Amino acid sequence: MKTPPGASSRTKCSRELRSFCAFSCPRAKKPTCTAWFPQQEHPSENGPQMPGHGSPATSTMRVLLLTSAEDLDCTPGFQQKVFHINQPAEFIEDQSILNLTFSDCKGNDKLRYEVSSPYFKVNSDGGLFALRNITAVGKTLFVHARTPHAEDMAELVIVGGRDIQGSLQDIFKFARTSPVPRQKRSIVVSPILIPENQRQPFPRDVGKVVDSDRPERSKFRLTGKGVDQEPKGIFRINENTGSVSVTRTLDREVIAVYQLFVETTDVNGKTLEGPVPLEVIVIDQNDNRPIFREGPYIGHVMEGSPTGTTVMRMTAFDADDPATDNALLRYNIRQQTPDKPSPNMFYIDPEKGDIVTVVSPALLDRETLENPKYELIIEAQDMAGLDVGLTGTATATIMIDDKNDHSPKFTKKEFQATVEEGAVGVIVNLTVEDKDDPTTGAWRAAYTIINGNPGQSFEIHTNPQTNEGMLSVVKPLDYEISAFHTLLIKVENEDPLVPDVSYGPSSTATVHITVLDVNEGPVFYPDPMMVTRQENISVGSVLLTVNATDPDSLQHQTIRYSVYKDPAGWLNINPINGTVDTTAVLDRESPFVDNSVYTALFLAIDSGNPPATGTGTLLITLEDVNDNAPFIYPTVAEVCDDAKNLSVVILGASDKDLHPNTDPFKFEIHKQAVPDKVWKISKINNTHALVSLLQNLNKANYNLPIMVTDSGKPPMTNITDLRVQVCSCRNSKVDCNAAGALRFSLPSLLLLSLFSLACL
């Protein structure tokens, strides 16, 4: 305990202080009281004076702090419960009287203080001070402190204070109605230890709770998990004697510790003291075997690994108390399969479970082992491996992994292959041998052509099933250029070789390839062949002479030509010299012409046995001539007989030819047939014109000849009748039926009128 501020001396309890010591330390095993006396302005020569022994009223307040030698463990409550101070002439507002120390051993969260006198207050730091100047407060003040976890009361004895009725009763009333249980020290409990797996009979006593200050007729009550909470009914307490008993067998692996609470109650069940924690600890027994829970256990070690190489770790689990030998495990190898080349290929660390190799690297040669897979029966035993310990086993599978310590070797030094000229595909499979694991990159082969392939006519790939090298021709070979080819090929593994192994002469091979001559078809040159001609050229016009040559230059064969595809039937070819001429007029607007290009195919056939054929393509680009007259659209129109807008229809014109043989178009009414005073046609743009009336006409059908002319040289003209229906339009209804009955053109009407006048 720290010396309060202003304390000037520290002494053991003197005879005069024994009464105070006996009050504050009644249960201390070795009562020790220490008194601090505030320093006075004029200290007495005889030492500190006791209260009531002639100390002047104006002297500085003296405080006696009485402590006892108690346990160092945290005990909830006030660290000092009784304080003595002299009654001063007046308690001064906001002047500190003393400091209180309270702890709930859990951080003092939500700590609150209340004082029995409304004229005093304790701040958050534990300092007690007056709220106003006051002289008489009684002989005793009580300070109540509480948190959600603990509660306690401290007593401040005012030496020389006057008695004030009611203050003690009020504070006691306050304590009784407090909702937070007070921490009591009169209930004495000790942890109860119970072995698991106890046999009948039950119930059996396992401990006892003692309360030396328990009032008469009060009872003990036990609560918590295992009593009134699930699992219920495991423990109970004799409400009169405090004897605690267990009612059934306990299993430490289910619940290792039960946290119970003991309290005393009156006859009505109201709590008098407590609750006080009571811990029941279940003592472990060796009733669980070690279990390997993380299987399957598969380890790998590289062949040729040095002695002592760690392969894997195997650890087991024991549900017993890890702080006892019941869960202290030791490991050993019970069996090894196969037992060749040594029955002790591996060793397991008895404490850690690490499996390591114990044979020389030479014995870990995968290619010489009977089986590269080993199975070990691993045993874990508790009780530190003593014979009385329980055991559990598991299988460890150890694979001896391959490393690339063998280079691939060709099965022979030279390979032969033949291929027809012009053919592509695989021509020969190159075989190799490799002693490494076929499932690894140490066995898989990678082939490379290192010489003899300047034209990149050959490629080689690995067959993933057989590991053979598949040599292929990817560009057709020409017998007339070269009848023989020689390739130099090397083979390597996908994985690099180990440092002490290298590729030797057996890792290269020579492939001799013979090209067989075949009768190849003639080849047109160029292909495609292209010419440009005007359409409508005269029949029999020569377009070109094709040229095809025979690749088989050593055979001196002749070539004949024929037409293969001529969609429009326009062409002919001389079979001897290849001259192509026309047999019909070439029409650019034909449906067989695509984007002004006509396509035809020709054959060149040699005189071999059997003959070989080559195909050539001719593309004829046709230039346009003005050979198509324009036409108008639409050719039918309607107009009301009383229309205020005399516009009849907008005409458009189109031409199959190409520019400049198309627009701008010229629109006219055929003057020889129609008087100008009835119809009018006006140009809108290069391709459209407006037909309108100069006056309303009677309901009838009229055929108006429209003449349209393109811009070609020479131009082409087309005359098309525009059928105009003059209809009756009344009440938003259009009636053209009557008009349909009349089918005279305007010229006919005029001639009929003139004929009628002549007859008069």
Side-chain angles (χ1 to χ4, degrees):
M1 173 179 264
K2 295 182 179 179
T3 304
S8 60
S9 62
R10 174 176 178 175
T11 64
K12 295 291 183 180
C13 288
S14 63
R15 178 172 57 83
E16 290 84 0
L17 298 178
R18 287 174 185 168
S19 60
F20 296 103
C21 293
F23 180 85
S24 62
C25 311
R27 293 188 178 90
K29 297 179 181 179
K30 296 180 181 180
T32 302
C33 295
T34 304
W36 284 275
F37 293 87
Q39 187 173 1
Q40 303 179 36
E41 295 180 3
H42 304 286
S44 170
E45 294 179 358
N46 298 323
Q49 296 182 343
M50 291 301 300
H53 288 72
S55 58
T58 59
S59 63
T60 305
M61 183 188 306
R62 300 166 182 168
V63 181
L64 301 180
L65 303 178
L66 307 178
T67 63
S68 63
E70 298 190 3
D71 296 337
L72 295 178
D73 293 339
C74 181
T75 301
F78 283 101
Q79 304 306 305
Q80 179 177 332
K81 296 182 179 295
V82 181
F83 299 84
H84 290 76
I85 64 172
N86 287 329
Q87 170 69 52
E90 186 178 28
F91 290 97
I92 307 301
E93 180 180 355
D94 293 333
Q95 179 177 312
S96 177
I97 300 171
L98 57 82
N99 288 326
L100 301 156
T101 302
F102 174 88
S103 175
D104 65 354
C105 300
K106 293 183 180 295
N108 282 354
D109 185 35
K110 299 181 180 179
L111 172 61
R112 294 180 55 192
Y113 293 94
E114 296 198 71
V115 186
S116 58
S117 171
Y119 307 115
F120 294 85
K121 182 179 180 180
V122 179
N123 61 22
S124 59
D125 295 331
L128 176 67
F129 59 91
L131 295 175
R132 65 181 179 86
N133 295 340
I134 187 172
T135 56
V137 296
K139 293 183 177 181
T140 307
L141 288 176
F142 293 91
V143 179
H144 177 256
R146 64 175 174 176
T147 71
H149 306 289
E151 174 184 25
D152 204 0
M153 189 93 69
E155 181 181 7
L156 177 61
V157 178
I158 302 174
V159 179
R162 291 179 298 173
D163 189 16
I164 297 177
Q165 296 294 328
S167 61
L168 186 59
Q169 295 177 357
D170 291 342
I171 192 64
F172 281 162
K173 179 181 178 182
F174 164 76
R176 288 195 301 270
T177 60
S178 174
V180 182
R182 294 181 58 200
Q183 296 291 332
K184 296 294 184 178
R185 298 188 182 184
S186 57
I187 299 178
V188 179
V189 296
S190 297
I192 297 175
L193 281 68
I194 307 175
E196 65 174 334
N197 303 325
Q198 285 185 321
R199 298 181 180 178
Q200 295 283 357
F202 291 106
R204 61 174 66 191
D205 292 341
V206 292
K208 189 172 184 180
V209 177
V210 178
D211 188 353
S212 59
D213 294 338
R214 184 163 63 93
E216 293 184 3
R217 300 182 62 190
S218 64
K219 299 179 180 181
F220 289 102
R221 180 162 62 192
L222 189 64
T223 60
K225 185 176 180 180
V227 182
D228 57 347
Q229 301 175 23
E230 294 296 339
K232 297 180 180 180
I234 296 179
F235 303 99
R236 61 190 184 189
I237 191 171
N238 187 306
E239 62 183 17
N240 296 317
T241 65
S243 179
V244 179
S245 59
V246 63
T247 63
R248 68 186 76 163
T249 299
L250 302 181
D251 188 348
R252 191 203 70 86
E253 287 70 47
V254 176
I255 300 178
V257 178
Y258 293 86
Q259 296 290 346
L260 309 181
F261 297 91
V262 180
E263 57 187 344
T264 57
T265 64
D266 59 16
V267 292
N268 296 320
K270 185 176 181 180
T271 300
L272 299 177
E273 297 180 2
V276 175
L278 171 60
E279 189 175 64
V280 178
I281 302 172
V282 183
I283 302 175
D284 184 46
Q285 290 188 343
N286 191 21
D287 58 347
N288 290 276
R289 293 181 178 275
I291 300 174
F292 291 91
R293 301 191 300 185
E294 300 175 358
Y297 296 92
I298 301 176
H300 295 264
V301 61
M302 189 69 68
E303 65 171 328
S305 295
T307 303
T309 299
T310 300
V311 180
M312 59 190 299
R313 171 174 288 187
M314 290 189 63
T315 55
F317 168 77
D318 196 311
D320 291 319
D321 188 352
T324 68
D325 284 356
N326 296 338
L328 185 59
L329 305 182
R330 294 293 181 264
Y331 303 92
N332 68 89
I333 300 175
R334 301 289 296 177
Q335 181 180 338
Q336 171 190 302
T337 305
D339 59 358
K340 300 292 187 333
S342 169
N344 299 307
M345 299 283 289
F346 306 95
Y347 164 80
I348 188 168
D349 187 300
E351 296 183 4
K352 297 180 180 179
D354 290 337
I355 299 176
V356 299
T357 61
V358 294
V359 296
S360 66
L363 292 181
L364 281 179
D365 186 356
R366 185 187 174 283
E367 287 73 36
T368 61
L369 291 176
E370 177 183 331
N371 189 339
K373 180 175 75 173
Y374 287 86
E375 290 188 349
L376 308 179
I377 304 299
I378 306 299
E379 179 185 75
Q381 187 171 26
D382 59 23
M383 298 301 293
L386 297 178
D387 291 341
V388 296
L390 303 177
T391 61
T393 60
T395 300
T397 300
I398 299 177
M399 306 297 299
I400 310 300
D401 291 339
D402 185 41
K403 64 181 180 180
N404 198 8
D405 55 351
H406 295 86
S407 62
K409 299 178 180 180
F410 283 101
T411 57
K412 51 186 178 180
K413 192 63 179 175
E414 294 184 348
F415 294 86
Q416 304 292 329
T418 58
V419 59
E420 291 183 348
E421 64 172 333
V424 294
V426 178
I427 58 174
V428 65
N429 290 315
L430 310 182
T431 55
V432 295
E433 292 179 347
D434 196 317
K435 296 181 180 179
D436 291 315
D437 185 358
T439 64
T440 66
W443 177 81
R444 291 189 292 269
Y447 299 88
T448 306
I449 301 174
I450 59 177
N451 195 13
N453 190 29
Q456 305 300 310
S457 299
F458 302 93
E459 287 183 358
I460 188 167
H461 300 280
T462 304
N463 186 318
Q465 282 74 40
T466 64
N467 214 32
E468 295 176 346
M470 301 182 296
L471 181 63
S472 304
V473 176
V474 294
K475 293 182 180 180
L477 303 177
D478 191 340
Y479 171 83
E480 284 72 29
I481 295 176
S482 177
F484 299 97
H485 297 268
T486 300
L487 304 180
L488 184 62
I489 297 177
K490 72 174 181 180
V491 63
E492 297 177 335
N493 289 130
E494 290 183 1
D495 293 346
L497 295 173
V498 295
D500 55 343
V501 177
S502 60
Y503 295 103
S506 298
S507 296
T508 58
T510 301
V511 181
H512 299 286
I513 302 167
T514 301
V515 181
L516 302 178
D517 187 25
V518 296
N519 186 22
E520 301 173 86
V523 178
F524 284 88
Y525 182 82
D527 190 27
M529 300 162 283
M530 293 181 287
V531 296
T532 300
R533 295 289 186 273
Q534 276 193 347
E535 64 174 332
N536 300 334
I537 60 175
S538 59
V539 175
S541 298
V542 175
L543 299 180
L544 82 164
T545 298
V546 301
N547 178 33
T549 58
D550 191 348
D552 301 311
S553 58
L554 302 179
Q555 298 183 19
H556 305 290
Q557 300 179 122
T558 60
I559 297 176
R560 294 181 63 83
Y561 300 96
S562 65
V563 177
Y564 179 43
K565 286 186 179 180
D566 179 17
W570 292 342
L571 305 176
N572 175 62
I573 189 170
N574 186 302
I576 304 301
N577 60 22
T579 299
V580 178
D581 56 11
T582 62
T583 60
V585 176
L586 305 182
D587 185 5
R588 193 198 65 83
E589 291 75 33
S590 167
F592 299 105
V593 177
D594 183 17
N595 197 24
S596 300
V597 176
Y598 181 72
T599 302
L601 301 179
F602 298 94
L603 297 179
I605 306 168
D606 66 18
S607 58
N609 187 17
T613 302
T615 303
T617 301
L618 173 62
L619 302 178
I620 305 174
T621 300
L622 296 175
E623 295 178 341
D624 185 45
V625 297
N626 194 18
D627 58 347
N628 290 276
F631 58 90
I632 64 168
Y633 59 89
T635 59
V636 177
E638 292 180 355
V639 65
C640 292
D641 57 358
D642 59 350
K644 294 181 180 180
N645 184 358
L646 298 181
S647 297
V648 177
V649 66
I650 295 177
L651 296 179
S654 182
D655 195 318
K656 293 182 180 180
D657 293 319
L658 298 178
H659 190 77
N661 296 322
T662 57
D663 60 273
F665 298 111
K666 180 180 179 182
F667 296 88
E668 296 176 284
I669 297 173
H670 195 37
K671 297 184 182 298
Q672 289 80 358
V674 179
D676 291 339
K677 63 179 182 179
V678 179
W679 302 94
K680 179 182 179 181
I681 189 165
S682 304
K683 178 180 178 181
I684 297 176
N685 55 31
N686 289 342
T687 58
H688 291 79
L690 173 65
V691 177
S692 58
L693 286 168
L694 298 178
Q695 62 185 40
N696 288 324
L697 296 178
N698 294 328
K699 187 191 309 180
N701 285 345
Y702 300 89
N703 289 327
L704 180 64
I706 303 297
M707 183 172 64
V708 58
T709 305
D710 62 24
S711 297
K713 293 182 179 180
M716 295 196 70
T717 299
N718 182 28
I719 299 175
T720 304
D721 282 343
L722 173 63
R723 184 187 179 198
V724 180
Q725 293 179 305
V726 179
C727 306
S728 174
C729 303
R730 301 291 185 271
N731 299 324
S732 301
K733 294 183 179 179
V734 178
D735 181 11
C736 297
N737 292 332
L742 300 175
R743 302 189 178 274
F744 297 103
S745 65
L746 288 179
S748 300
L749 290 175
L750 292 173
L751 290 174
L752 182 61
S753 299
L754 293 174
F755 180 77
S756 299
L757 291 172
C759 295
L760 291 176

